Amino acid sequence: MLHHSILETLPEGLRGDALSGLQPLRFEQGKILFRAGDPCQGLPLVLNGSVKVQMTGLSGNSIVLYRMGADDICTLSIGCLMTGGSFRAEAVVEDEAQLFMVPRGLFDRLMDQSADFRLGIMESYGRRLNDLMLLVEEVAFRRMDERLLHWLEARAGQGAITITHQELAVELGTAREVVSRLLKELERKGRLRLARGKIEFTGSFAG
């Protein structure tokens, strides 16, 4: 049976009412759940799969703000529901996903009637806000070559990564040309090998 831990915080009767009005929705890879400027219709609760939330600037460059996997809650949706504003980023399904979509009216009712639910929502919001502050710090104060190396070092044990230069640029919030130039310099130094849509690490990468 599909479930989400935030719903377990509700009193039994209220949880039963909530679940009776929720049906799991399945979304294929590549489906856009919401775009920048869209009004928030409800709170997505991820049951399985993977969804990434990313922002695109005026330059056309994008950056991944965060990802949602099983049992995660969409932080941007929480903010939009509480303020009545619209989204400033987009959410894209990376791996086929199932979600509960808690409509605005039900969300307001659960926040009003359950202190434990309200606390769980705010704790989730706080944890993600802390992650976003760390991302801002990294983007603002760390050189791109250092950020790229840090990203690669965290994955060097895999032997190879299937990712395009454009996808990696989105991960880091920069232009594809910048990523390509830095990767080619690392390849020239013998620390990795580049193939189409793939980065292969050499034994000297960690050195």
Side-chain angles (χ1 to χ4, degrees):
M1 180 179 179
L2 296 171
H3 71 281
H4 195 286
S5 62
I6 191 63
L7 298 178
E8 299 301 316
T9 64
L10 297 169
E12 185 175 350
L14 188 57
R15 182 169 66 249
D17 289 345
L19 287 172
S20 67
L22 296 175
Q23 294 294 327
L25 305 173
R26 184 181 297 275
F27 297 95
E28 297 180 352
Q29 182 182 28
K31 174 69 175 178
I32 297 178
L33 299 184
F34 56 76
R35 301 178 187 272
D38 287 350
C40 185
Q41 302 298 328
L43 178 66
L45 303 178
V46 181
L47 304 172
N48 54 52
S50 176
V51 179
K52 69 176 178 180
V53 177
Q54 62 187 25
M55 177 178 284
T56 302
L58 294 176
S59 65
N61 294 335
S62 299
I63 184 170
V64 175
L65 300 178
Y66 58 88
R67 284 181 167 83
M68 297 183 290
D71 221 35
D72 280 339
I73 302 171
C74 181
T75 306
L76 283 186
S77 296
I78 295 173
C80 290
L81 286 168
M82 292 194 298
T83 65
S86 56
F87 290 110
R88 299 191 64 183
E90 66 175 7
V92 183
V93 177
E94 282 193 305
D95 298 313
E96 183 177 304
Q98 285 185 288
L99 299 87
F100 281 143
M101 182 63 72
V102 181
R104 178 186 293 273
L106 178 58
F107 173 79
D108 290 341
R109 178 188 171 198
L110 299 181
M111 289 287 282
D112 181 60
Q113 296 185 10
S114 173
D116 287 339
F117 178 85
R118 187 165 61 249
L119 177 61
I121 289 293
M122 297 312 297
E123 286 180 343
S124 172
Y125 190 86
R127 287 193 300 270
R128 188 73 76 184
L129 181 60
N130 184 62
D131 291 343
L132 289 173
M133 291 299 293
L134 292 174
L135 176 62
V136 170
E137 180 181 1
E138 183 171 291
V139 171
F141 302 116
R142 199 170 188 181
R143 286 171 29 187
M144 185 53 62
D145 57 345
E146 294 175 342
R147 293 182 58 217
L148 175 61
L149 275 174
H150 178 74
W151 193 94
L152 291 170
E153 286 169 353
R155 295 157 178 80
Q158 300 178 24
I161 304 174
T162 301
I163 189 170
T164 67
H165 292 192
Q166 179 60 44
E167 290 168 339
L168 183 48
V170 171
E171 293 291 326
L172 298 174
T174 188
R176 178 186 57 78
E177 293 79 7
V178 173
V179 166
S180 295
R181 175 174 55 81
L182 293 173
L183 286 174
K184 287 175 182 176
E185 179 62 17
L186 289 172
E187 183 179 44
R188 186 187 67 79
K189 293 178 178 179
R191 303 187 67 182
L192 50 78
R193 287 186 296 272
L194 300 176
R196 186 173 182 83
K198 183 178 292 187
I199 300 172
E200 299 176 350
F201 296 105
T202 67
S204 63
F205 184 81

